[in-house]
Amino acid sequence: MGDWGWVVWVLVAGLVLALGNVLWVVLVRRWYRLRTPLPQALKARCADGWELTVHVRRAPKRRFEEPVLLCHGLAANRFTFDFEPPYSVAHYLAEAGFDCFSVEWRGTGHSRLPPPGRRYTDFTIDDHVHQDGPALIELALRETGAKRAFWLGHSLGGLVGYAVAQGPEGAKLAGLLTLGAPVHFKSEPFLRTLISLGVRAAWPGRLRQEWMSASLAPFLGYVTLPLSDLVVNPLHIPPRIQRQVYANMMSSMSRKVLLQFQDWIEHDAFRSFDRATDWRAGISRLQLPLLVMGGSADRLATAENVESQYALVTSQDRTLHVFGRDHGDKMDYGHGDLIFGSGAPQEVYPLIRDWLVRHATDVSASEQKAPEAPASSG
């Protein structure tokens, strides 16, 4: 066989392997799909023309005026909050009487397609703050008729919430709840190496790690992936839930977003892409109600990180809670354990619900306060 013959065989073998992997991932996602009624899917158009898909879980009986905006973190999607009960914050809060709006940030899931003239990886965290956040708030308020909304963000979703609250849209927020959101970034060799590898692997546009996650999902619970406890602690999450999370929830990462994280890690900063706006310094100026939450075993947003973050807050209405055994909880919560840990529906979700209930406006009370229409004459 000549040289060209070997090349052809290699290309054919590569094509067969690629097609086999595509079929495998399709079957895995089909097998581990979530068996729960789909939420309502709405479109929110950003000022720059990018359309976001927002998944709405309506309350069976709406008790509270303010909707809850559920904002996922890096490399995730709407399934962070809108999963299969009992591991679904959206279902839990909807049953409590809140309309829930789960966003998928631009470049993620159903919000992947860019407007004409833009690449689907051409965005930074600044775009989440200045474009996506305002569009999400506007949609939720328009759909519910409310004047303000609550923002609940996990990891990057909490960081975006901090930044949005510092802008003109901050007045439209009734409260901000952050869950495992690290506003301090230690420049440790391990983190620097990890983010550097991520930036290189994402060349030229994005890191498609969700493909690998779905490919390996069926083996979780039998084997433990390296560094898996950075995302979710496999000891705290039922095996089938692990497999469903990795098959459904992981998303690709924009190289520009990773470059921004690299800047934060190397310089212990939480700031805009052009380094002109210091969002961490702005936290001290926030005066809206704040609930800052973390996990005692979280390696990305450590307990010390969350506590020092809380120390920046000057709002009169502020609360800190670190979930862990030292606080009487059943486990030491890691990063993803705060949502998918076996104890989360009994320990984390109720605290979120109770805080929201205390700060929300009862629908019946707001209706009673509404002025009556003047009687017509003649």
Side-chain angles (χ1 to χ4, degrees), residues 280-358:
R280 186 163 65 199
I283 292 175
S284 63
R285 297 190 293 272
L286 296 178
Q287 294 304 309
L288 78 169
L290 281 160
L291 173 58
V292 180
M293 297 169 285
S296 59
D298 192 334
R299 295 178 60 189
L300 296 177
T302 65
E304 294 78 14
N305 190 323
V306 172
E307 289 165 359
S308 61
Q309 169 188 153
Y310 179 73
L312 299 172
V313 178
T314 62
S315 170
Q316 293 297 309
D317 187 345
R318 61 190 186 276
T319 305
L320 170 68
H321 192 97
V322 178
F323 293 92
R325 293 182 184 275
D326 289 346
H327 296 86
D329 298 312
K330 68 178 293 184
M331 65 179 66
D332 287 315
Y333 285 83
H335 198 62
D337 308 1
L338 292 164
I339 297 174
F340 296 106
S342 58
Q346 296 80 39
E347 296 176 333
V348 181
Y349 297 8
L351 187 141
I352 292 172
R353 177 203 59 202
D354 293 347
W355 189 94
L356 288 170
V357 168
R358 289 196 303 271

Side-chain angles (χ1 to χ4, degrees), residues 26-283:
V26 169
L27 291 174
V28 166
R29 288 177 172 167
R30 173 76 177 171
W31 183 260
Y32 291 109
R33 70 188 184 279
L34 303 183
R35 291 170 173 81
T36 184
L38 293 175
Q40 179 186 12
L42 299 177
K43 294 292 184 181
R45 180 175 289 274
C46 302
D48 65 354
W50 203 306
E51 272 196 344
L52 306 178
T53 299
V54 181
H55 302 268
V56 186
R57 187 74 60 181
R58 305 280 185 178
K61 181 179 180 181
R62 187 179 171 199
R63 293 179 53 205
F64 303 103
E65 181 178 316
E66 295 86 359
V68 182
L69 315 179
L70 302 173
C71 306
H72 66 79
L74 180 67
N77 56 30
R78 72 170 175 93
F79 291 120
T80 298
F81 288 107
D82 197 331
F83 206 69
E84 195 173 272
Y87 299 98
S88 174
V89 175
H91 283 83
Y92 186 89
L93 294 181
E95 287 296 327
F98 292 95
D99 283 348
C100 296
F101 291 71
S102 299
V103 70
E104 286 190 307
W105 300 126
R106 61 180 57 203
T108 300
H110 294 91
S111 303
R112 189 179 297 114
L113 295 179
R118 293 281 298 276
R119 292 181 59 197
Y120 63 96
T121 58
D122 183 21
F123 62 88
T124 67
I125 296 168
D126 298 37
D127 292 301
H128 296 330
V129 173
H130 300 301
Q131 299 288 337
D132 300 356
L136 169 62
I137 294 172
E138 179 184 356
L139 173 71
L141 297 186
R142 184 173 69 247
E143 283 289 315
T144 60
K147 296 179 180 178
R148 297 186 300 168
F150 291 108
W151 184 296
L152 170 58
H154 178 252
S155 196
L156 175 62
L159 298 180
V160 174
Y162 273 130
V164 169
Q166 295 171 35
E169 303 299 319
K172 299 177 183 178
L173 294 180
L176 172 61
L177 305 85
T178 65
L179 197 62
V183 305
H184 296 278
F185 296 85
K186 291 185 178 180
S187 182
E188 298 176 350
F190 168 72
L191 284 177
R192 290 203 306 271
T193 301
L194 195 63
I195 193 67
S196 178
L197 290 174
V199 167
R200 293 177 184 178
W203 188 90
R206 63 173 171 163
L207 176 60
R208 292 290 303 271
Q209 105 299 332
E210 85 278 12
W211 204 257
M212 181 180 69
S213 297
S215 298
L216 298 176
F219 307 104
L220 299 180
Y222 306 104
V223 297
T224 301
L225 300 180
L227 305 177
S228 60
D229 61 332
L230 284 176
V231 183
V232 290
N233 189 330
L235 298 177
H236 295 164
I237 299 179
R240 178 169 177 81
I241 301 303
Q242 291 183 49
R243 295 191 278 272
Q244 285 183 300
V245 166
Y246 276 82
N248 293 284
M249 199 194 78
M250 302 301 177
S251 296
S252 60
M253 295 179 281
S254 159
R255 188 169 188 269
K256 280 190 172 182
V257 168
L258 290 174
L259 284 170
Q260 196 162 1
F261 265 101
Q262 186 176 46
D263 168 54
W264 295 355
I265 291 170
E266 290 182 351
H267 300 96
D268 184 21
F270 170 38
R271 59 191 179 186
S272 58
F273 193 79
D274 61 7
R275 306 184 180 184
T277 304
D278 186 343
W279 290 318
R280 186 163 65 199
I283 292 175

Side-chain angles (χ1 to χ4, degrees), residues 354-366:
D354 293 347
W355 189 94
L356 288 170
V357 168
R358 289 196 303 271
H359 291 82
T361 304
D362 189 279
V363 168
S364 58
S366 64

